Amino acid sequence: MLKIGFLASGRGSNFQAIVDTINEGAIKAEPALLVADKADAYAIQRAQKLGIEHMYLDPGAYKSKDEYYEAITSEMKARGVGLVVLAGFMRIVRKPLLEAFPMKVMNIHPALLPSFAGLHGHGDALAYGVKVSGCTVHFVDEGMDTGPVIIQAAAPVYDDDTEETLSERILKLEHRIFPEAVRLFADGRLEVHGRRVRVKGNRSPEDYIINPTVQQ
Ligand code: GAR
């Protein structure tokens, strides 16, 4: 069975959504480890409650960024992890982890990539004035939110939206598409061809983009 390692920096609601879906029996995988880069990340408390092994690895305790990712890689490898999930991990992942897990590191970003990459997806979308935003699950490469896209979901942006209201609306979609992307990976249905990720087997057109009009 696929073992999943999680990296998180904060609240961990995406981590929770994926583990809940696993526990419902909808994803054939086992959560093996959660690593947090912040000692007070709420994701750690969630892991504790869920009975999932967890640890805080302090980035400041390593001589270089690469050494930090080497440490994470060896913790993941020691537990036989086959997929690394970035669940609100606010750092750019570096080569040691990516080379050990090629096209096996997934991230969620709260905007429709390639728009509004980086740390301020919601605020940047609002400031630009777009009428539709959303979220993207993608495989991770060395760039900032630049890897091949797996699933996206769209959400409307309303005139009176604030970062808070927009992020709340998008988060609901995140909690649907991230478990779905992990499920497809666990079932061996994701094929990467250059930048394009294809899903093997039948999917209806509605499966590709979650329609905002049926979401609210
Ligand atoms: C999520 O909205 C996720 O899309 C975003 O951080 C939040 C984490 O929430 N990630 C990024 O912005 C990555 N650049 P969570 O800790 O409750 O899952």
PDB file of all heavy atoms in Angstrom, residues 8-16 43 46 86-91 107-111 117-122 134-136 138 144-145 167 170-171 174-175 178, ligand 1:
ATOM      1  N   ALA A   8       4.047  20.201   6.342  1.00  0.00           N
ATOM      2  CA  ALA A   8       3.098  21.279   6.635  1.00  0.00           C
ATOM      3  C   ALA A   8       3.782  22.379   7.427  1.00  0.00           C
ATOM      4  O   ALA A   8       4.785  22.144   8.123  1.00  0.00           O
ATOM      5  CB  ALA A   8       1.908  20.724   7.423  1.00  0.00           C
ATOM      6  N   SER A   9       3.198  23.589   7.307  1.00  0.00           N
ATOM      7  CA  SER A   9       3.728  24.731   8.066  1.00  0.00           C
ATOM      8  C   SER A   9       2.719  25.296   9.045  1.00  0.00           C
ATOM      9  O   SER A   9       3.084  26.074   9.920  1.00  0.00           O
ATOM     10  CB  SER A   9       4.124  25.869   7.110  1.00  0.00           C
ATOM     11  OG  SER A   9       5.111  25.463   6.214  1.00  0.00           O
ATOM     12  N   GLY A  10       1.433  24.950   8.875  1.00  0.00           N
ATOM     13  CA  GLY A  10       0.440  25.652   9.708  1.00  0.00           C
ATOM     14  C   GLY A  10      -0.751  24.820  10.085  1.00  0.00           C
ATOM     15  O   GLY A  10      -0.620  23.712  10.607  1.00  0.00           O
ATOM     16  N   ARG A  11      -1.908  25.362   9.739  1.00  0.00           N
ATOM     17  CA  ARG A  11      -3.211  24.831  10.163  1.00  0.00           C
ATOM     18  C   ARG A  11      -3.451  23.354   9.837  1.00  0.00           C
ATOM     19  O   ARG A  11      -4.044  22.622  10.607  1.00  0.00           O
ATOM     20  CB  ARG A  11      -4.250  25.723   9.457  1.00  0.00           C
ATOM     21  CG  ARG A  11      -5.665  25.459   9.706  1.00  0.00           C
ATOM     22  CD  ARG A  11      -6.481  26.507   8.960  1.00  0.00           C
ATOM     23  NE  ARG A  11      -6.148  26.519   7.523  1.00  0.00           N
ATOM     24  CZ  ARG A  11      -6.666  27.361   6.642  1.00  0.00           C
ATOM     25  NH1 ARG A  11      -7.530  28.278   7.027  1.00  0.00           N
ATOM     26  NH2 ARG A  11      -6.318  27.296   5.377  1.00  0.00           N
ATOM     27  N   GLY A  12      -3.048  22.941   8.648  1.00  0.00           N
ATOM     28  CA  GLY A  12      -3.135  21.510   8.306  1.00  0.00           C
ATOM     29  C   GLY A  12      -4.518  21.022   7.918  1.00  0.00           C
ATOM     30  O   GLY A  12      -4.798  19.822   8.011  1.00  0.00           O
ATOM     31  N   SER A  13      -5.392  21.923   7.433  1.00  0.00           N
ATOM     32  CA  SER A  13      -6.739  21.444   7.085  1.00  0.00           C
ATOM     33  C   SER A  13      -6.707  20.551   5.844  1.00  0.00           C
ATOM     34  O   SER A  13      -7.536  19.641   5.712  1.00  0.00           O
ATOM     35  CB  SER A  13      -7.717  22.611   6.909  1.00  0.00           C
ATOM     36  OG  SER A  13      -7.440  23.325   5.733  1.00  0.00           O
ATOM     37  N   ASN A  14      -5.785  20.794   4.937  1.00  0.00           N
ATOM     38  CA  ASN A  14      -5.672  19.900   3.774  1.00  0.00           C
ATOM     39  C   ASN A  14      -5.136  18.531   4.178  1.00  0.00           C
ATOM     40  O   ASN A  14      -5.577  17.503   3.655  1.00  0.00           O
ATOM     41  CB  ASN A  14      -4.785  20.534   2.692  1.00  0.00           C
ATOM     42  CG  ASN A  14      -5.561  21.520   1.838  1.00  0.00           C
ATOM     43  OD1 ASN A  14      -6.394  21.133   1.035  1.00  0.00           O
ATOM     44  ND2 ASN A  14      -5.303  22.807   2.037  1.00  0.00           N
ATOM     45  N   PHE A  15      -4.206  18.523   5.103  1.00  0.00           N
ATOM     46  CA  PHE A  15      -3.701  17.264   5.665  1.00  0.00           C
ATOM     47  C   PHE A  15      -4.868  16.476   6.253  1.00  0.00           C
ATOM     48  O   PHE A  15      -5.064  15.290   5.979  1.00  0.00           O
ATOM     49  CB  PHE A  15      -2.640  17.609   6.721  1.00  0.00           C
ATOM     50  CG  PHE A  15      -2.297  16.518   7.692  1.00  0.00           C
ATOM     51  CD1 PHE A  15      -1.736  15.326   7.262  1.00  0.00           C
ATOM     52  CD2 PHE A  15      -2.519  16.687   9.062  1.00  0.00           C
ATOM     53  CE1 PHE A  15      -1.407  14.316   8.172  1.00  0.00           C
ATOM     54  CE2 PHE A  15      -2.193  15.708   9.971  1.00  0.00           C
ATOM     55  CZ  PHE A  15      -1.638  14.512   9.523  1.00  0.00           C
ATOM     56  N   GLN A  16      -5.692  17.188   7.039  1.00  0.00           N
ATOM     57  CA  GLN A  16      -6.852  16.545   7.672  1.00  0.00           C
ATOM     58  C   GLN A  16      -7.816  15.996   6.612  1.00  0.00           C
ATOM     59  O   GLN A  16      -8.296  14.866   6.740  1.00  0.00           O
ATOM     60  CB  GLN A  16      -7.585  17.595   8.536  1.00  0.00           C
ATOM     61  CG  GLN A  16      -8.797  17.069   9.260  1.00  0.00           C
ATOM     62  CD  GLN A  16      -8.456  16.457  10.613  1.00  0.00           C
ATOM     63  OE1 GLN A  16      -7.729  17.045  11.390  1.00  0.00           O
ATOM     64  NE2 GLN A  16      -8.982  15.277  10.888  1.00  0.00           N
ATOM     65  N   ALA A  43      -0.996  21.611  12.481  1.00  0.00           N
ATOM     66  CA  ALA A  43      -0.979  20.296  11.817  1.00  0.00           C
ATOM     67  C   ALA A  43      -0.385  19.224  12.745  1.00  0.00           C
ATOM     68  O   ALA A  43      -0.793  18.061  12.701  1.00  0.00           O
ATOM     69  CB  ALA A  43      -0.181  20.373  10.520  1.00  0.00           C
ATOM     70  N   ARG A  46      -3.057  18.000  14.970  1.00  0.00           N
ATOM     71  CA  ARG A  46      -3.977  17.130  14.209  1.00  0.00           C
ATOM     72  C   ARG A  46      -3.377  15.729  14.078  1.00  0.00           C
ATOM     73  O   ARG A  46      -4.072  14.732  14.255  1.00  0.00           O
ATOM     74  CB  ARG A  46      -4.209  17.700  12.809  1.00  0.00           C
ATOM     75  CG  ARG A  46      -5.008  18.977  12.783  1.00  0.00           C
ATOM     76  CD  ARG A  46      -5.271  19.323  11.315  1.00  0.00           C
ATOM     77  NE  ARG A  46      -5.755  20.667  11.122  1.00  0.00           N
ATOM     78  CZ  ARG A  46      -7.032  21.011  11.026  1.00  0.00           C
ATOM     79  NH1 ARG A  46      -7.971  20.099  11.129  1.00  0.00           N
ATOM     80  NH2 ARG A  46      -7.381  22.263  10.821  1.00  0.00           N
ATOM     81  N   LEU A  86       2.629  18.205   0.014  1.00  0.00           N
ATOM     82  CA  LEU A  86       2.857  19.497   0.660  1.00  0.00           C
ATOM     83  C   LEU A  86       1.487  20.069   1.018  1.00  0.00           C
ATOM     84  O   LEU A  86       0.724  20.478   0.143  1.00  0.00           O
ATOM     85  CB  LEU A  86       3.597  20.457  -0.280  1.00  0.00           C
ATOM     86  CG  LEU A  86       4.884  19.943  -0.943  1.00  0.00           C
ATOM     87  CD1 LEU A  86       5.558  21.082  -1.702  1.00  0.00           C
ATOM     88  CD2 LEU A  86       5.836  19.338   0.073  1.00  0.00           C
ATOM     89  N   ALA A  87       1.193  20.034   2.293  1.00  0.00           N
ATOM     90  CA  ALA A  87      -0.134  20.436   2.761  1.00  0.00           C
ATOM     91  C   ALA A  87      -0.003  21.767   3.498  1.00  0.00           C
ATOM     92  O   ALA A  87       0.070  21.813   4.718  1.00  0.00           O
ATOM     93  CB  ALA A  87      -0.710  19.350   3.667  1.00  0.00           C
ATOM     94  N   GLY A  88       0.074  22.853   2.706  1.00  0.00           N
ATOM     95  CA  GLY A  88       0.300  24.156   3.313  1.00  0.00           C
ATOM     96  C   GLY A  88       1.733  24.280   3.813  1.00  0.00           C
ATOM     97  O   GLY A  88       1.977  24.721   4.931  1.00  0.00           O
ATOM     98  N   PHE A  89       2.675  23.865   2.972  1.00  0.00           N
ATOM     99  CA  PHE A  89       4.109  23.947   3.323  1.00  0.00           C
ATOM    100  C   PHE A  89       4.660  25.180   2.617  1.00  0.00           C
ATOM    101  O   PHE A  89       4.704  25.232   1.388  1.00  0.00           O
ATOM    102  CB  PHE A  89       4.820  22.683   2.863  1.00  0.00           C
ATOM    103  CG  PHE A  89       6.258  22.578   3.318  1.00  0.00           C
ATOM    104  CD1 PHE A  89       6.573  22.508   4.673  1.00  0.00           C
ATOM    105  CD2 PHE A  89       7.298  22.530   2.392  1.00  0.00           C
ATOM    106  CE1 PHE A  89       7.886  22.401   5.101  1.00  0.00           C
ATOM    107  CE2 PHE A  89       8.624  22.418   2.806  1.00  0.00           C
ATOM    108  CZ  PHE A  89       8.902  22.352   4.161  1.00  0.00           C
ATOM    109  N   MET A  90       5.047  26.179   3.410  1.00  0.00           N
ATOM    110  CA  MET A  90       5.338  27.500   2.850  1.00  0.00           C
ATOM    111  C   MET A  90       6.829  27.694   2.538  1.00  0.00           C
ATOM    112  O   MET A  90       7.419  28.702   2.925  1.00  0.00           O
ATOM    113  CB  MET A  90       4.833  28.580   3.821  1.00  0.00           C
ATOM    114  CG  MET A  90       3.347  28.511   4.041  1.00  0.00           C
ATOM    115  SD  MET A  90       2.438  28.599   2.476  1.00  0.00           S
ATOM    116  CE  MET A  90       0.774  28.792   3.049  1.00  0.00           C
ATOM    117  N   ARG A  91       7.401  26.740   1.861  1.00  0.00           N
ATOM    118  CA  ARG A  91       8.811  26.828   1.463  1.00  0.00           C
ATOM    119  C   ARG A  91       8.971  26.255   0.070  1.00  0.00           C
ATOM    120  O   ARG A  91       8.191  25.394  -0.329  1.00  0.00           O
ATOM    121  CB  ARG A  91       9.691  25.961   2.376  1.00  0.00           C
ATOM    122  CG  ARG A  91       9.837  26.522   3.713  1.00  0.00           C
ATOM    123  CD  ARG A  91      10.603  25.607   4.633  1.00  0.00           C
ATOM    124  NE  ARG A  91      10.558  26.236   5.921  1.00  0.00           N
ATOM    125  CZ  ARG A  91      11.391  27.197   6.297  1.00  0.00           C
ATOM    126  NH1 ARG A  91      12.397  27.543   5.534  1.00  0.00           N
ATOM    127  NH2 ARG A  91      11.243  27.787   7.475  1.00  0.00           N
ATOM    128  N   ASN A 107       1.663  19.470  -4.519  1.00  0.00           N
ATOM    129  CA  ASN A 107       1.386  20.681  -3.747  1.00  0.00           C
ATOM    130  C   ASN A 107      -0.004  21.199  -4.102  1.00  0.00           C
ATOM    131  O   ASN A 107      -0.503  20.946  -5.190  1.00  0.00           O
ATOM    132  CB  ASN A 107       2.422  21.752  -4.112  1.00  0.00           C
ATOM    133  CG  ASN A 107       2.219  23.051  -3.352  1.00  0.00           C
ATOM    134  OD1 ASN A 107       1.994  23.049  -2.128  1.00  0.00           O
ATOM    135  ND2 ASN A 107       2.277  24.175  -4.050  1.00  0.00           N
ATOM    136  N   ILE A 108      -0.589  21.940  -3.167  1.00  0.00           N
ATOM    137  CA  ILE A 108      -1.829  22.667  -3.496  1.00  0.00           C
ATOM    138  C   ILE A 108      -1.551  24.154  -3.397  1.00  0.00           C
ATOM    139  O   ILE A 108      -0.846  24.605  -2.489  1.00  0.00           O
ATOM    140  CB  ILE A 108      -3.024  22.255  -2.611  1.00  0.00           C
ATOM    141  CG1 ILE A 108      -4.306  22.912  -3.135  1.00  0.00           C
ATOM    142  CG2 ILE A 108      -2.803  22.605  -1.138  1.00  0.00           C
ATOM    143  CD1 ILE A 108      -5.504  22.030  -3.105  1.00  0.00           C
ATOM    144  N   HIS A 109      -2.100  24.875  -4.364  1.00  0.00           N
ATOM    145  CA  HIS A 109      -1.898  26.331  -4.383  1.00  0.00           C
ATOM    146  C   HIS A 109      -3.266  27.010  -4.507  1.00  0.00           C
ATOM    147  O   HIS A 109      -4.083  26.586  -5.329  1.00  0.00           O
ATOM    148  CB  HIS A 109      -1.002  26.727  -5.559  1.00  0.00           C
ATOM    149  CG  HIS A 109      -0.749  28.196  -5.592  1.00  0.00           C
ATOM    150  ND1 HIS A 109       0.089  28.821  -4.689  1.00  0.00           N
ATOM    151  CD2 HIS A 109      -1.271  29.174  -6.369  1.00  0.00           C
ATOM    152  CE1 HIS A 109       0.079  30.121  -4.925  1.00  0.00           C
ATOM    153  NE2 HIS A 109      -0.727  30.366  -5.934  1.00  0.00           N
ATOM    154  N   PRO A 110      -3.516  28.074  -3.735  1.00  0.00           N
ATOM    155  CA  PRO A 110      -4.856  28.673  -3.725  1.00  0.00           C
ATOM    156  C   PRO A 110      -5.078  29.706  -4.832  1.00  0.00           C
ATOM    157  O   PRO A 110      -5.502  30.823  -4.561  1.00  0.00           O
ATOM    158  CB  PRO A 110      -4.931  29.306  -2.330  1.00  0.00           C
ATOM    159  CG  PRO A 110      -3.519  29.697  -2.031  1.00  0.00           C
ATOM    160  CD  PRO A 110      -2.646  28.674  -2.710  1.00  0.00           C
ATOM    161  N   ALA A 111      -4.787  29.326  -6.067  1.00  0.00           N
ATOM    162  CA  ALA A 111      -5.093  30.158  -7.236  1.00  0.00           C
ATOM    163  C   ALA A 111      -5.012  29.250  -8.455  1.00  0.00           C
ATOM    164  O   ALA A 111      -4.559  28.107  -8.361  1.00  0.00           O
ATOM    165  CB  ALA A 111      -4.101  31.318  -7.371  1.00  0.00           C
ATOM    166  N   ALA A 117       1.102  32.759  -8.592  1.00  0.00           N
ATOM    167  CA  ALA A 117       1.981  31.845  -7.859  1.00  0.00           C
ATOM    168  C   ALA A 117       2.564  32.579  -6.649  1.00  0.00           C
ATOM    169  O   ALA A 117       2.459  33.802  -6.548  1.00  0.00           O
ATOM    170  CB  ALA A 117       3.098  31.379  -8.788  1.00  0.00           C
ATOM    171  N   GLY A 118       3.152  31.834  -5.758  1.00  0.00           N
ATOM    172  CA  GLY A 118       3.822  32.463  -4.608  1.00  0.00           C
ATOM    173  C   GLY A 118       3.000  32.413  -3.342  1.00  0.00           C
ATOM    174  O   GLY A 118       2.001  31.712  -3.254  1.00  0.00           O
ATOM    175  N   LEU A 119       3.435  33.209  -2.390  1.00  0.00           N
ATOM    176  CA  LEU A 119       2.876  33.092  -1.045  1.00  0.00           C
ATOM    177  C   LEU A 119       1.552  33.818  -0.840  1.00  0.00           C
ATOM    178  O   LEU A 119       0.905  33.648   0.181  1.00  0.00           O
ATOM    179  CB  LEU A 119       3.888  33.624  -0.018  1.00  0.00           C
ATOM    180  CG  LEU A 119       5.136  32.759   0.211  1.00  0.00           C
ATOM    181  CD1 LEU A 119       6.074  33.431   1.200  1.00  0.00           C
ATOM    182  CD2 LEU A 119       4.745  31.369   0.715  1.00  0.00           C
ATOM    183  N   HIS A 120       1.144  34.663  -1.816  1.00  0.00           N
ATOM    184  CA  HIS A 120      -0.044  35.508  -1.581  1.00  0.00           C
ATOM    185  C   HIS A 120      -1.093  35.331  -2.672  1.00  0.00           C
ATOM    186  O   HIS A 120      -1.585  36.308  -3.239  1.00  0.00           O
ATOM    187  CB  HIS A 120       0.384  36.981  -1.489  1.00  0.00           C
ATOM    188  CG  HIS A 120       1.536  37.196  -0.560  1.00  0.00           C
ATOM    189  ND1 HIS A 120       1.405  37.097   0.802  1.00  0.00           N
ATOM    190  CD2 HIS A 120       2.850  37.440  -0.796  1.00  0.00           C
ATOM    191  CE1 HIS A 120       2.595  37.291   1.370  1.00  0.00           C
ATOM    192  NE2 HIS A 120       3.490  37.490   0.413  1.00  0.00           N
ATOM    193  N   GLY A 121      -1.420  34.082  -2.977  1.00  0.00           N
ATOM    194  CA  GLY A 121      -2.349  33.775  -4.069  1.00  0.00           C
ATOM    195  C   GLY A 121      -3.671  34.520  -3.970  1.00  0.00           C
ATOM    196  O   GLY A 121      -4.121  35.116  -4.953  1.00  0.00           O
ATOM    197  N   HIS A 122      -4.293  34.518  -2.789  1.00  0.00           N
ATOM    198  CA  HIS A 122      -5.611  35.159  -2.666  1.00  0.00           C
ATOM    199  C   HIS A 122      -5.503  36.682  -2.841  1.00  0.00           C
ATOM    200  O   HIS A 122      -6.242  37.284  -3.610  1.00  0.00           O
ATOM    201  CB  HIS A 122      -6.230  34.909  -1.284  1.00  0.00           C
ATOM    202  CG  HIS A 122      -6.280  33.476  -0.884  1.00  0.00           C
ATOM    203  ND1 HIS A 122      -5.446  32.937   0.069  1.00  0.00           N
ATOM    204  CD2 HIS A 122      -7.063  32.475  -1.319  1.00  0.00           C
ATOM    205  CE1 HIS A 122      -5.725  31.666   0.216  1.00  0.00           C
ATOM    206  NE2 HIS A 122      -6.684  31.346  -0.622  1.00  0.00           N
ATOM    207  N   GLY A 134      -9.395  30.223  -7.887  1.00  0.00           N
ATOM    208  CA  GLY A 134      -9.609  28.814  -7.569  1.00  0.00           C
ATOM    209  C   GLY A 134      -8.385  28.207  -6.925  1.00  0.00           C
ATOM    210  O   GLY A 134      -7.652  28.878  -6.191  1.00  0.00           O
ATOM    211  N   CYS A 135      -8.165  26.942  -7.208  1.00  0.00           N
ATOM    212  CA  CYS A 135      -7.008  26.265  -6.630  1.00  0.00           C
ATOM    213  C   CYS A 135      -6.473  25.219  -7.600  1.00  0.00           C
ATOM    214  O   CYS A 135      -7.183  24.780  -8.508  1.00  0.00           O
ATOM    215  CB  CYS A 135      -7.360  25.640  -5.280  1.00  0.00           C
ATOM    216  SG  CYS A 135      -8.883  24.684  -5.267  1.00  0.00           S
ATOM    217  N   THR A 136      -5.230  24.855  -7.371  1.00  0.00           N
ATOM    218  CA  THR A 136      -4.512  23.966  -8.279  1.00  0.00           C
ATOM    219  C   THR A 136      -3.730  22.940  -7.478  1.00  0.00           C
ATOM    220  O   THR A 136      -2.996  23.306  -6.558  1.00  0.00           O
ATOM    221  CB  THR A 136      -3.484  24.777  -9.113  1.00  0.00           C
ATOM    222  OG1 THR A 136      -4.151  25.831  -9.802  1.00  0.00           O
ATOM    223  CG2 THR A 136      -2.742  23.892 -10.105  1.00  0.00           C
ATOM    224  N   HIS A 138      -0.700  20.361  -8.095  1.00  0.00           N
ATOM    225  CA  HIS A 138       0.313  20.120  -9.129  1.00  0.00           C
ATOM    226  C   HIS A 138       1.475  19.318  -8.571  1.00  0.00           C
ATOM    227  O   HIS A 138       1.700  19.301  -7.349  1.00  0.00           O
ATOM    228  CB  HIS A 138       0.802  21.459  -9.705  1.00  0.00           C
ATOM    229  CG  HIS A 138       1.502  22.334  -8.701  1.00  0.00           C
ATOM    230  ND1 HIS A 138       2.876  22.337  -8.528  1.00  0.00           N
ATOM    231  CD2 HIS A 138       1.027  23.213  -7.791  1.00  0.00           C
ATOM    232  CE1 HIS A 138       3.190  23.192  -7.563  1.00  0.00           C
ATOM    233  NE2 HIS A 138       2.094  23.735  -7.099  1.00  0.00           N
ATOM    234  N   MET A 144       8.828  27.899  -8.382  1.00  0.00           N
ATOM    235  CA  MET A 144       7.802  28.271  -7.397  1.00  0.00           C
ATOM    236  C   MET A 144       6.435  28.053  -8.032  1.00  0.00           C
ATOM    237  O   MET A 144       6.027  28.811  -8.916  1.00  0.00           O
ATOM    238  CB  MET A 144       8.014  29.750  -7.025  1.00  0.00           C
ATOM    239  CG  MET A 144       6.837  30.389  -6.373  1.00  0.00           C
ATOM    240  SD  MET A 144       7.053  30.614  -4.639  1.00  0.00           S
ATOM    241  CE  MET A 144       7.854  32.197  -4.600  1.00  0.00           C
ATOM    242  N   ASP A 145       5.760  26.960  -7.647  1.00  0.00           N
ATOM    243  CA  ASP A 145       4.415  26.649  -8.152  1.00  0.00           C
ATOM    244  C   ASP A 145       4.384  26.473  -9.671  1.00  0.00           C
ATOM    245  O   ASP A 145       3.432  26.896 -10.335  1.00  0.00           O
ATOM    246  CB  ASP A 145       3.411  27.748  -7.730  1.00  0.00           C
ATOM    247  CG  ASP A 145       3.343  27.934  -6.225  1.00  0.00           C
ATOM    248  OD1 ASP A 145       3.426  26.935  -5.498  1.00  0.00           O
ATOM    249  OD2 ASP A 145       3.221  29.087  -5.771  1.00  0.00           O
ATOM    250  N   SER A 167     -10.595  33.152   0.521  1.00  0.00           N
ATOM    251  CA  SER A 167      -9.823  31.954   0.904  1.00  0.00           C
ATOM    252  C   SER A 167     -10.738  30.885   1.491  1.00  0.00           C
ATOM    253  O   SER A 167     -10.525  29.694   1.278  1.00  0.00           O
ATOM    254  CB  SER A 167      -8.678  32.298   1.862  1.00  0.00           C
ATOM    255  OG  SER A 167      -9.181  32.761   3.059  1.00  0.00           O
ATOM    256  N   ILE A 170     -12.359  29.167  -1.488  1.00  0.00           N
ATOM    257  CA  ILE A 170     -11.401  28.323  -2.223  1.00  0.00           C
ATOM    258  C   ILE A 170     -11.001  27.108  -1.391  1.00  0.00           C
ATOM    259  O   ILE A 170     -10.824  26.005  -1.919  1.00  0.00           O
ATOM    260  CB  ILE A 170     -10.170  29.165  -2.652  1.00  0.00           C
ATOM    261  CG1 ILE A 170     -10.594  30.169  -3.736  1.00  0.00           C
ATOM    262  CG2 ILE A 170      -9.050  28.268  -3.160  1.00  0.00           C
ATOM    263  CD1 ILE A 170      -9.501  31.143  -4.147  1.00  0.00           C
ATOM    264  N   LEU A 171     -10.898  27.296  -0.083  1.00  0.00           N
ATOM    265  CA  LEU A 171     -10.463  26.185   0.783  1.00  0.00           C
ATOM    266  C   LEU A 171     -11.414  24.987   0.665  1.00  0.00           C
ATOM    267  O   LEU A 171     -10.974  23.832   0.686  1.00  0.00           O
ATOM    268  CB  LEU A 171     -10.354  26.651   2.239  1.00  0.00           C
ATOM    269  CG  LEU A 171      -9.634  25.691   3.187  1.00  0.00           C
ATOM    270  CD1 LEU A 171      -8.152  25.558   2.816  1.00  0.00           C
ATOM    271  CD2 LEU A 171      -9.760  26.148   4.645  1.00  0.00           C
ATOM    272  N   GLU A 174     -10.323  23.177  -2.218  1.00  0.00           N
ATOM    273  CA  GLU A 174      -9.041  22.502  -1.950  1.00  0.00           C
ATOM    274  C   GLU A 174      -9.288  21.147  -1.294  1.00  0.00           C
ATOM    275  O   GLU A 174      -8.659  20.146  -1.633  1.00  0.00           O
ATOM    276  CB  GLU A 174      -8.161  23.359  -1.036  1.00  0.00           C
ATOM    277  CG  GLU A 174      -7.709  24.665  -1.663  1.00  0.00           C
ATOM    278  CD  GLU A 174      -6.738  25.436  -0.775  1.00  0.00           C
ATOM    279  OE1 GLU A 174      -5.945  24.814  -0.061  1.00  0.00           O
ATOM    280  OE2 GLU A 174      -6.776  26.679  -0.793  1.00  0.00           O
ATOM    281  N   HIS A 175     -10.236  21.157  -0.348  1.00  0.00           N
ATOM    282  CA  HIS A 175     -10.496  19.929   0.408  1.00  0.00           C
ATOM    283  C   HIS A 175     -11.153  18.853  -0.449  1.00  0.00           C
ATOM    284  O   HIS A 175     -11.243  17.707  -0.032  1.00  0.00           O
ATOM    285  CB  HIS A 175     -11.362  20.241   1.642  1.00  0.00           C
ATOM    286  CG  HIS A 175     -10.640  21.106   2.632  1.00  0.00           C
ATOM    287  ND1 HIS A 175     -11.260  21.752   3.669  1.00  0.00           N
ATOM    288  CD2 HIS A 175      -9.320  21.441   2.732  1.00  0.00           C
ATOM    289  CE1 HIS A 175     -10.379  22.442   4.368  1.00  0.00           C
ATOM    290  NE2 HIS A 175      -9.192  22.271   3.817  1.00  0.00           N
ATOM    291  N   PHE A 178      -7.711  18.049  -3.524  1.00  0.00           N
ATOM    292  CA  PHE A 178      -6.438  17.466  -3.067  1.00  0.00           C
ATOM    293  C   PHE A 178      -6.599  15.968  -2.774  1.00  0.00           C
ATOM    294  O   PHE A 178      -5.833  15.146  -3.292  1.00  0.00           O
ATOM    295  CB  PHE A 178      -5.901  18.242  -1.862  1.00  0.00           C
ATOM    296  CG  PHE A 178      -4.387  18.320  -1.795  1.00  0.00           C
ATOM    297  CD1 PHE A 178      -3.758  19.071  -0.801  1.00  0.00           C
ATOM    298  CD2 PHE A 178      -3.579  17.650  -2.713  1.00  0.00           C
ATOM    299  CE1 PHE A 178      -2.369  19.161  -0.731  1.00  0.00           C
ATOM    300  CE2 PHE A 178      -2.182  17.726  -2.652  1.00  0.00           C
ATOM    301  CZ  PHE A 178      -1.585  18.475  -1.653  1.00  0.00           C
TER     302      PHE A 178
HETATM  303  C1  GAR B   1      -4.014  26.466   1.749  1.00  0.00           C
HETATM  304  O1  GAR B   1      -4.945  27.432   1.356  1.00  0.00           O
HETATM  305  C2  GAR B   1      -3.018  26.201   0.650  1.00  0.00           C
HETATM  306  O2  GAR B   1      -3.577  26.293  -0.625  1.00  0.00           O
HETATM  307  C3  GAR B   1      -2.017  27.308   0.870  1.00  0.00           C
HETATM  308  O3  GAR B   1      -1.912  27.419   2.251  1.00  0.00           O
HETATM  309  C4  GAR B   1      -3.126  27.005   2.865  1.00  0.00           C
HETATM  310  C5  GAR B   1      -2.800  25.942   3.886  1.00  0.00           C
HETATM  311  O4  GAR B   1      -3.944  25.583   4.606  1.00  0.00           O
HETATM  312  N1  GAR B   1      -0.742  26.996   0.277  1.00  0.00           N
HETATM  313  C6  GAR B   1       0.034  27.901  -0.294  1.00  0.00           C
HETATM  314  O5  GAR B   1      -0.246  29.084  -0.340  1.00  0.00           O
HETATM  315  C7  GAR B   1       1.316  27.343  -0.876  1.00  0.00           C
HETATM  316  N2  GAR B   1       2.017  28.382  -1.583  1.00  0.00           N
HETATM  317  P1  GAR B   1      -3.954  24.287   5.511  1.00  0.00           P
HETATM  318  O6  GAR B   1      -2.673  24.355   6.363  1.00  0.00           O
HETATM  319  O7  GAR B   1      -5.187  24.432   6.340  1.00  0.00           O
HETATM  320  O8  GAR B   1      -3.975  23.096   4.624  1.00  0.00           O
END
